[in-house]
Amino acid sequence: SQQGEEDPQALSIQEGENATMNCSYKTSINNLQWYRQNSGRGLVHLILIRSNEREKHSGRLRVTLDTSKKSSSLLITASRAADTASYFCARTKPYNNNDMRFGAGTRLTVKP
Amino acid sequence: GAGVSQSPRYKVAKRGQDVALRCDPISGHVSLFWYQQALGQGPEFLTYFQNEAQLDKSGLPSDRFFAERPEGSVSTLKIQRTQQEDSAVYLCASSLEFRTGGYEQYFGPGTRLTVT
């Protein structure tokens, strides 16, 4: 069963717009990671945010974490057609970094 | 260096056949993971190795699924008496760290298994 839930399930935007995807989870976490998957490059790690962090940036990516609401968001700014992919959040539990559970993903389409 | 590789990339099996899926992790990576990904879903954890030790196999869906990593590098996921519900993409991932603190996993391209 999926342990994280992303929303929306699908998102379609124009190139240059920002894309925001959300992830909710049910149990306490040690860290939360975002991954991207497309047919060309498979599943690729984007960014990791630890439970004691609230925000992280990496290039055009911004991730926030609200442990009180058990939710995270991924913002992609100035989107490009190459950002078209499925985006997954994955969380690890405290005391077990090896148990990483993925959500069902958000399918992002960026139209040129 | 080279990333995680998996073979075969595609496998078609008749129901009841046994299959073996291979994973070559990144050299030196201690941890190795297997996931099952159904169409339109996220990867589901199957099992985890630290070197040659299988520390967690709680995600294996049935006793028809078996994984091994005898020398702490290459791993094989074996599915016996395949069923149609086993059709999925099987992903392998490896990572360098295994202690607390968090780390990223490097994924292979996957093996797409179709059981007919």
Side-chain angles (χ1 to χ4, degrees), chain A residues 1-3 30-31 33 35 37 39 41-46 48 50 86 88 92 95-105, chain B residues 31 33 35 37 40-45 48 50 55-56 58-59 91 95 97-109:
Chain A
S1 63
Q2 301 294 322
Q3 295 295 310
N30 185 47
N31 65 63
Q33 304 181 41
Y35 284 79
Q37 185 177 42
S39 58
R41 293 195 60 195
L43 200 65
V44 175
H45 178 268
L46 294 176
L48 179 154
R50 302 187 196 289
S86 291
F88 298 93
T92 59
Y95 314 116
N96 191 352
N97 274 306
N98 306 305
D99 183 347
M100 191 163 73
R101 302 301 172 116
F102 286 80
Chain B
S31 302
F33 305 80
Y35 294 86
Q37 186 175 23
Q41 298 295 314
E44 294 260 9
F45 171 83
Y48 156 67
Q50 181 182 310
L55 298 187
D56 186 346
S58 62
L91 297 168
S95 70
E97 298 293 333
F98 59 90
R99 280 186 281 270
T100 59
Y103 49 82
E104 67 177 278
Q105 295 185 15
Y106 295 83
F107 282 81

Side-chain angles (χ1 to χ4, degrees), chain B residues 5-78:
Chain B
S5 62
Q6 293 185 245
S7 61
R9 292 291 309 277
Y10 303 91
K11 177 69 178 177
V12 178
K14 292 185 178 179
R15 189 170 55 185
Q17 281 185 330
D18 297 348
V19 298
L21 312 180
R22 176 187 169 106
C23 172
D24 283 82
I26 294 173
S27 178
H29 277 196
V30 171
S31 302
L32 185 145
F33 305 80
W34 283 99
Y35 294 86
Q36 180 189 60
Q37 186 175 23
L39 188 64
Q41 298 295 314
E44 294 260 9
F45 171 83
L46 292 178
T47 186
Y48 156 67
F49 290 85
Q50 181 182 310
N51 295 308
E52 68 278 5
Q54 189 175 20
L55 298 187
D56 186 346
K57 52 181 181 180
S58 62
L60 295 177
S62 77
D63 59 8
R64 295 186 296 103
F65 287 71
F66 172 77
E68 59 184 6
R69 194 187 185 197
E71 297 178 357
S73 56
V74 171
S75 177
T76 303
L77 176 67
K78 297 179 180 178

Side-chain angles (χ1 to χ4, degrees), chain A residues 28-90:
Chain A
S28 297
I29 63 169
N30 185 47
N31 65 63
L32 188 143
Q33 304 181 41
W34 285 89
Y35 284 79
R36 178 179 62 210
Q37 185 177 42
N38 59 32
S39 58
R41 293 195 60 195
L43 200 65
V44 175
H45 178 268
L46 294 176
I47 197 165
L48 179 154
I49 186 165
R50 302 187 196 289
S51 60
N52 61 353
E53 297 176 314
R54 291 297 167 259
E55 186 171 313
K56 284 191 81 169
H57 297 256
S58 177
R60 294 184 295 111
L61 306 180
R62 173 179 168 249
V63 168
T64 62
L65 179 64
D66 187 335
T67 53
S68 66
K69 295 181 179 179
K70 291 186 169 56
S71 67
S72 174
S73 68
L74 170 67
L75 168 68
I76 304 174
T77 60
S79 63
R80 305 167 182 168
D83 295 329
T84 294
S86 291
Y87 291 81
F88 298 93
C89 69

